């Protein structure tokens, strides 16, 4: 596929990995059903960094006009490559493993255009300049159209500092329930709890932040957020009654 359609990875309505709530960005990718219980997906996307390229901005400077109200700037290019494998382990258990890499300041890199490359290894090979993120989610379908899931995202981690006050535990956690089985016909319930570390999605080189157009590619609330989400939907003939609430700290 090719386009700028919304993309959401994982079981959550508000994904911490790749969320449909971020601004649209152009991407090219594919989905592959390897066998009945294993699926693979990949895309390479073009993000907007909003980090000024001062050299390029010189070409956009309009000499005849007032520079304070007629400013046009060029951005440093920013790209996102991501792949995901979905595995159905048991009849009711699904596992998703994701790897994402954000890089910029150069043309699209052939190492990240290859869908089956381990980006963590490629990033180290290229000199530790890019921003690699890993995430996983586990879903248990406990009844028809009802499930429980947990998701975990790791931006940075140094094992030796895990239990220190000054650590590199740049993590995001998520837990959720979707329930339709034990409710009246046409009713559905979604509960989600999300916690993000203040440091996630950012990078020491700002052109590699996990953002597009100043909005996170992952969880819409960004870093340093605790969110409780409640959604109740009732379908009545051709009408939908929706109760949606978010408690954010």
């Amino acid at each position: 596929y090719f386009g700028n359609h919304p993309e959401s990875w994982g079981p959550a309505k508000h994904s911490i990995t790749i969320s449909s709530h971020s601004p649209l960005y152009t991407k090219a990718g594919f989905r592959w059903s390897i066998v009945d219980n294993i699926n693979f997906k990949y895309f390479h996307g073009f993000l907007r960094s909003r980090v000024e390229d001062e050299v390029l901005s010189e070409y956009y400077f309009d000499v005849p006009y007032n520079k304070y109200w007629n400013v046009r700037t060029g951005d440093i290019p920013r790209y996102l490559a991501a792949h995901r494998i979905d595995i159905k382990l048991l009849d009711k258990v699904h596992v998703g493993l994701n790897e994402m890499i954000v890089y910029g300041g150069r043309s699209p890199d052939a190492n990240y255009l290859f869908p089956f490359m381990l980006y963590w290894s490629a990033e180290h090979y290229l000199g530790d300049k890019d921003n690699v993120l890993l995430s996983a989610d586990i879903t248990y379908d406990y009844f028809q159209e009802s499930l429980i899931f947990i998701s975990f995202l790791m931006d940075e981690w140094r094992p030796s500092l895990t239990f220190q006050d000054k650590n590199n535990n740049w993590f995001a956690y998520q837990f959720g329930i979707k329930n339709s089985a034990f409710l009246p016909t046409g009713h559905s319930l979604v509960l989600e709890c999300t916690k993000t570390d203040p440091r996630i999605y950012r990078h020491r080189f700002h052109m590699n932040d996990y953002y597009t157009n100043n909005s996170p590619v992952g969880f819409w609330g960004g870093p340093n957020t605790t969110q409780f989400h409640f959604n109740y939907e009732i379908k009545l003939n051709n009408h939908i009654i929706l109760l949606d609430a978010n408690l954010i700290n």
Side-chain angles (χ1 to χ4, degrees):
Y1 62 84
F2 176 82
N4 63 350
H5 56 276
E7 189 88 19
S8 182
W9 285 13
K13 184 177 181 181
H14 300 132
S15 175
I16 59 176
T17 300
I18 292 176
S19 172
S20 59
H21 296 279
S22 66
L24 297 180
Y25 49 92
T26 302
K27 63 183 77 68
F30 67 89
R31 300 178 181 91
W32 178 26
S33 180
I34 302 173
V35 293
D36 287 343
N37 60 342
I38 301 178
N39 295 289
F40 180 85
K41 62 175 67 174
Y42 161 86
F43 74 79
H44 187 280
F46 300 81
L47 309 180
R48 186 175 182 191
S49 70
R50 300 295 291 267
V51 178
E52 183 180 356
D53 184 332
E54 295 182 358
V55 175
L56 185 59
S57 294
E58 288 292 327
Y59 291 96
Y60 294 127
F61 182 70
D62 258 333
V63 177
Y65 296 101
N66 188 320
K67 66 178 180 179
Y68 296 106
W69 59 266
N70 197 52
V71 176
R72 294 176 175 85
T73 60
D75 290 350
I76 293 177
R78 176 185 291 168
Y79 310 101
L80 166 64
H83 47 200
R84 172 183 173 90
I85 187 166
D86 284 293
I87 305 171
K88 187 177 182 181
L89 292 180
L90 301 170
D91 211 26
K92 296 179 178 293
V93 179
H94 300 257
V95 175
L97 303 174
N98 312 280
E99 188 181 33
M100 296 76 67
I101 188 84
V102 178
Y103 66 102
R106 60 190 193 267
S107 300
D109 196 304
N111 291 279
Y112 303 138
L113 293 174
F114 182 57
F116 309 108
M117 171 74 73
L118 289 176
Y119 298 146
W120 185 85
S121 298
E123 193 266 343
H124 281 278
Y125 170 76
L126 294 171
D128 292 314
K129 299 186 294 287
D130 305 323
N131 185 12
V132 62
L133 301 92
L134 305 172
S135 72
D137 49 79
I138 301 175
T139 304
Y140 175 60
D141 299 320
Y142 63 89
F143 208 74
Q144 295 178 352
E145 298 183 4
S146 300
L147 57 87
I148 298 174
F149 69 86
I150 56 173
S151 302
F152 172 75
L153 180 139
M154 180 175 68
D155 192 338
E156 296 283 346
W157 183 43
R158 184 172 297 175
S160 61
L161 300 177
T162 299
F163 302 104
Q164 304 296 322
D165 291 335
K166 295 182 178 180
N167 57 62
N168 275 24
N169 303 340
W170 299 18
F171 301 156
Y173 314 86
Q174 194 169 56
F175 169 79
I177 298 173
K178 296 181 180 180
N179 190 342
S180 297
F182 304 107
L183 298 172
T185 302
H187 292 229
S188 62
L189 171 69
V190 176
L191 296 173
E192 290 181 359
C193 177
T194 307
K195 171 67 176 177
T196 61
D197 185 88
R199 300 163 292 185
I200 67 165
Y201 300 151
R202 297 294 188 182
H203 194 258
R204 58 179 173 172
F205 306 127
H206 292 311
M207 66 180 176
N208 295 330
D209 288 348
Y210 198 57
Y211 278 69
T212 183
N213 210 12
N214 288 340
S215 295
V217 174
F219 183 62
W220 69 272
N224 197 27
T225 300
T226 301
Q227 184 213 35
F228 297 94
H229 173 69
F230 171 88
N231 178 281
Y232 196 92
E233 185 177 294
I234 304 173
K235 294 181 180 179
L236 296 173
N237 298 323
N238 296 325
H239 303 281
I240 295 177
I241 300 174
L242 181 65
L243 176 61
D244 192 275
N246 291 289
L247 178 62
I248 302 175
N249 182 13

